[in-house]
Amino acid sequence: MTEDAADPFAGVDVDAVRDALVEWYEAGHRDFPWRQTDDPYEILVSEVMSQQTQLGRVVDAWHAFLDRWPTAAALADADRADVVGFWTGHSLGYNNRAKYLHEAARQVTEEYDGEFPDSPAELAELMGVGPYTANAVASFAFDNGDAVVDTNVKRVLHRAFAVPDDDDAFERAARDLMPAGESRVWNNAIMELGGVACEKTPSCDAAGCPWRQYCHAYETGDFTAPDVPTQPAFEGSRRQMRGRVVNALKDRDALALDDLGPKIRVDYVPDGEYGREWLRGLLDDLADDGLVAVDDGSDETVARLRR
Ligand code: SF4
């Protein structure tokens, strides 16, 4: 394999890709309260709670937990039975996580003088803190983490940049893509992309995915991924494209092909692969189904919805 063939970012403007994602994230991310803090204890609690519970439900439990035990020292002083009781009372999953969290608070208090360590390797020494959680705390509390590579991130990298389904390839690609020293915003942003746009069934347009113009899957219509072995039913299919045409024409009298095209695909170019000819094919299908009328006027071809 040549160097370039191994590099999923060959020919990609990586800075533009990074900027687009961070801007998208900062403009509209979900506002979880643990994203407002850089306190490692508060972040550790949110990470441990999130491992088994939907994020929306974690919010109340997280506030209540921190009201009761606001610092690692306070938690270290607590009775284990109370911590476990809290866990059970809030349906937070395996009680072992409560025990580990309690133990980790004791370690920080007794072995680290109350100061959390700031590197993924040291954080992973804490009880019950695996590599993923250690990296999350290092990133979100200290801006000192590595690129996160979880299922969501793999799915995004595979679709957007055709990174092969191979752990080393994912690690490398995730590391190369993360802007140096910006693990806090970056890991949040790429996980958000996987969580609200590039889900198993992706919502590229509805979520305004900032990577549409770079995305291999968006271009090819193949939205399979390591955790999505068969093509999701709607996104990327011809049916989806037809849906976009109908949507674009819905509130308008008529649109010329070159005005309509970019609303269907961001990479529409009149004479390109996804250009007039391709669009005309879609419109003819819709016309056959009685949904759309196409008028070949003397100046230009326009399409409108049949009403
Ligand atoms: S364009 Fe769609 S498939 Fe590609 S990264 Fe965005 S949401 Fe995922």
Side-chain angles (χ1 to χ4, degrees), residues 163-220:
V163 176
D165 182 7
D166 169 273
D167 282 348
D168 288 344
F170 282 128
E171 287 283 345
R172 242 188 343 263
R175 196 183 55 221
D176 290 351
L177 195 53
M178 187 176 92
E182 293 185 37
S183 56
R184 178 184 291 139
V185 70
W186 183 259
N187 284 331
N188 265 321
I190 196 163
M191 289 196 293
E192 183 81 349
L193 189 69
V196 307
C198 205
E199 296 168 280
K200 287 191 174 185
T201 297
S203 42
C204 316
D205 294 318
C209 175
W211 282 357
R212 279 172 291 178
Q213 59 187 297
Y214 310 104
C215 179
H216 180 257
Y218 192 81
E219 187 185 339
T220 60

Side-chain angles (χ1 to χ4, degrees), residues 141-185:
F142 302 109
D143 212 0
N144 188 35
D146 303 317
V148 164
V149 187
D150 65 1
T151 315
N152 281 354
V153 172
K154 287 182 185 177
R155 188 170 61 247
V156 171
L157 292 175
H158 182 78
R159 283 177 175 157
F161 303 107
V163 176
D165 182 7
D166 169 273
D167 282 348
D168 288 344
F170 282 128
E171 287 283 345
R172 242 188 343 263
R175 196 183 55 221
D176 290 351
L177 195 53
M178 187 176 92
E182 293 185 37
S183 56
R184 178 184 291 139
V185 70

Side-chain angles (χ1 to χ4, degrees), residues 38 71 100-101 109 134 144 154 193 200 232 254 258 261 286:
D38 58 9
T71 61
Y100 288 148
L101 192 54
T109 309
N144 188 35
K154 287 182 185 177
L193 189 69
K200 287 191 174 185
D258 290 348
L286 285 160

